[in-house]
Amino acid sequence: MTSTAESATASETPPWVPYLWKAGIPVLVAAVVYFLPVPSGVEPTGMRMFGIFLGTILALILQPLPTGAVALIGMTAAMLTKTETAARALSGFANTTVWLIVAAFFIAEGFLITGLGRRIALMFVTRLGRSTLGLSYGMALTDLILAPATPSNTARCGGVVFPIVASLSHLEDSHPEPEESRKRLGAYLTLTALQVNVITSAMFVTAMAGNPVAQEAAGKLGVEISWGKWALAAIVPGVVSLVAVPWVMSKVYPPTVTKTPDAPQQARDQLREAGPMSRKEWIMAATFILLLVLWCLTDLLRVDATTAAFTGIAILLITGVLSWKDLADNTSAWSTLVFFGVLVGMANELNELGVIDWIGDSVAGAVGSLPWLAAFAILTLVYFYSHYLFASNTAHVVAMYAVFVGAAIATGAPPLFSALVFGFIGNLFGGLAHYSSGPAGVIYGSGYVKTSELFRIGFLMSIVIILIWTLIGGGWMKLIGIW
């Protein structure tokens, strides 16, 4: 009788009770920061916005509700408290990078629907398919080859690498659900692709849109960085990172399928069975090549990456490769639009209200009396991990790069060394969280990686990356005379 009564009581427990603490902690943190005194230089609503932003981020980690719901509730709180106007709160949805992420999902859908993605995946498997690690190195090589000529890291990851990764995952019967299927291959490959992307973005001035911004800002501080200097300084830590990251990921976030000795022959058999490319595959391939050309020649043709992506989508719609129903049914794309649009709007508001400048100035002032090496270490770590407050690499670079480089030089740090290191960091922090960069949004939206996993693995890999770029990168730059 007692066990029956206990079972009845347990069954009567409302389903929301276990989620109380998951919702309570974000609300508590938001309330505490919301009512803090406003520092000098920060607008009156600055700390209120900071509190709502931190509360939203914590809720995204703890997940009392799905990601899109949490983002909308955070945005609503900002509007109800008059911290943001409705127009400002919704401004993130006009961000071109947000829509480039959405476009990347549609392009990936074209690869899957036509079967071209599967065909490319099979070709990779025939050459590198004996292990999942081999596949991840193949993806890393693909990203590296495209990086110098693709200024949009989101286009490179979302429009090129991700469709192939998704096809490879489907080929191994790895889908976002259920859990066992997700962990077979897709979760490892997608998250590794993100960590590889932050490395390739840091290796060349032309590999991420924010890098030329940093280059220009350094010039205004009297530090000239050429394309060659940047690439030379980054080449050794970059190559070491590209070798290390897939292997480290295989240890800290391993797939359940690691060895596939029969896969290459099976892939050859399936390619034979598939026969020649269909009309839709040819159209998809031609559209993809057009997109690569447009992305590579962005500056010359004056066609930005988002415009290029939607040009490709328009072609796929006109030719019948994709239908509107295909786009409308892509819930991953629309969910990503909601959470990324909200967070970009919040992060922009923090910058406008002076919160970001206040943080940067406070840190710079705090290290002024320290030896330059100690001050530099503190400045770089704060610059790196303050990216948790941003939903865009470029926005972070615009807001804080010049402040931190100027502070580092003021403490006695070598100017060129300082400018380059902070330039590299402007890319390397892009894998910290699911909102940290455009590629992160694409990877998270795929459904293969959970929010908590992305935060945990993002932090672990940030330590690995910092160690490589500090020890090996610092030693290499010393050897070639940069400091």
Side-chain angles (χ1 to χ4, degrees):
M1 289 290 291
T2 304
S3 60
T4 305
E6 288 175 353
S7 300
T9 303
S11 63
E12 290 169 6
T13 303
W16 47 265
V17 170
Y19 296 97
L20 274 179
W21 71 271
K22 292 184 177 182
I25 292 174
V27 170
L28 178 63
V29 170
V32 169
V33 177
Y34 186 98
F35 291 108
L36 286 177
V38 179
S40 176
V42 176
E43 295 293 322
T45 57
M47 297 311 287
R48 286 159 51 183
M49 188 70 250
F50 194 25
I52 293 170
F53 181 81
L54 288 179
T56 303
I57 296 304
L58 278 174
L60 287 170
I61 297 170
L62 298 174
Q63 293 276 283
L65 291 170
T67 300
V70 168
L72 286 177
I73 291 168
M75 182 181 70
T76 304
M79 292 189 292
L80 278 175
T81 56
K82 307 297 183 185
T83 303
E84 277 187 303
T85 64
R88 296 288 298 177
L90 294 167
S91 63
F93 292 92
N95 184 281
T96 56
T97 300
V98 173
W99 281 100
L100 179 57
I101 295 169
V102 175
F105 280 101
F106 297 151
I107 293 165
E109 189 80 0
F111 272 88
L112 294 173
I113 287 175
T114 61
L116 180 61
R118 183 174 183 275
R119 188 180 292 275
I120 295 172
L122 286 168
M123 294 170 117
F124 267 100
V125 173
T126 60
R127 290 164 176 79
L128 301 164
R130 292 188 177 275
S131 71
T132 53
L133 189 58
L135 292 175
S136 66
Y137 279 120
M139 294 298 96
L141 184 61
T142 302
D143 199 324
L144 176 63
I145 291 169
L146 293 172
T150 314
S152 171
N153 56 339
T154 306
R156 193 168 68 251
C157 179
V160 182
V161 176
F162 172 66
I164 300 172
V165 165
S167 296
L168 284 168
S169 302
H170 290 183
L171 203 62
E172 285 294 328
D173 195 28
S174 179
H175 306 278
E177 292 180 351
E179 186 79 355
E180 182 184 347
S181 177
R182 176 178 76 87
K183 289 187 172 181
R184 280 180 62 81
L185 181 62
Y188 166 73
L189 278 185
T190 51
L191 198 47
T192 302
L194 171 61
Q195 296 301 329
V196 163
N197 184 265
V198 306
I199 304 300
T200 58
S201 298
M203 291 177 69
F204 310 98
V205 170
T206 47
M208 198 276 286
N211 291 345
V213 176
Q215 184 184 37
E216 183 180 358
K220 291 179 181 177
L221 293 170
V223 184
E224 296 300 324
I225 308 175
S226 66
W227 192 97
K229 274 183 188 175
W230 184 301
L232 178 64
I235 189 68
V236 169
V239 169
V240 171
S241 297
L242 290 177
V243 172
V245 164
W247 181 83
V248 174
M249 283 291 297
S250 73
K251 302 302 179 184
V252 300
Y253 193 64
T256 56
V257 174
T258 56
K259 299 293 182 184
T260 52
D262 299 328
Q265 185 55 51
Q266 291 174 357
R268 291 187 196 96
D269 294 341
Q270 290 182 48
L271 278 172
R272 265 196 307 272
E273 290 172 12
M277 287 174 60
S278 67
R279 170 185 165 274
K280 288 188 175 182
E281 283 182 277
W282 279 112
I283 293 172
M284 186 69 228
T287 304
F288 177 59
I289 292 169
L290 173 64
L291 285 172
L292 284 180
V293 171
L294 292 175
W295 284 333
C296 291
L297 302 178
T298 294
D299 293 334
L300 182 64
L301 300 177
R302 297 185 181 180
V303 177
D304 63 81
T306 306
T307 302
F310 276 96
T311 300
I313 292 167
I315 291 171
L316 297 178
L317 288 169
I318 291 168
T319 56
V321 172
L322 287 176
S323 68
W324 173 249
K325 188 176 185 302
D326 295 327
L327 273 56
D329 288 346
N330 196 321
T331 54
S332 295
W334 301 117
S335 295
T336 304
L337 171 66
V338 170
F339 97 81
F340 220 80
V342 169
L343 291 183
V344 166
M346 286 186 173
N348 289 343
E349 193 71 3
L350 285 176
N351 192 35
E352 291 290 329
L353 295 172
V355 175
I356 302 303
D357 285 341
W358 166 66
I359 294 172
D361 292 342
S362 299
V363 174
V367 300
S369 60
L370 296 174
W372 82 261
L373 207 53
F376 192 79
I378 293 170
L379 287 170
T380 52
L381 287 173
V382 172
Y383 187 68
F384 197 109
Y385 290 108
S386 65
H387 194 62
Y388 281 117
L389 301 176
F390 289 88
S392 161
N393 295 57
T394 304
H396 194 159
V397 171
V398 170
M400 301 183 77
Y401 176 83
V403 172
F404 275 73
V405 173
I409 294 172
T411 65
L416 179 58
F417 177 69
S418 301
L420 283 169
V421 169
F422 283 101
F424 301 152
I425 294 173
N427 300 275
L428 299 175
F429 51 37
L432 281 175
H434 60 309
Y435 59 87
S436 293
S437 61
V442 172
I443 296 309
Y444 176 73
S446 71
Y448 278 106
V449 187
K450 293 182 177 179
T451 310
S452 57
E453 291 175 336
L454 222 160
F455 272 90
R456 177 172 60 84
I457 301 301
F459 180 74
L460 285 175
M461 291 308 298
S462 74
I463 296 172
V464 173
I465 289 168
I466 287 170
L467 287 173
I468 292 173
W469 285 73
T470 299
L471 300 177
I472 296 174
W476 167 246
M477 284 190 276
K478 179 73 172 175
L479 184 65
I480 61 177
I482 287 177
W483 68 284

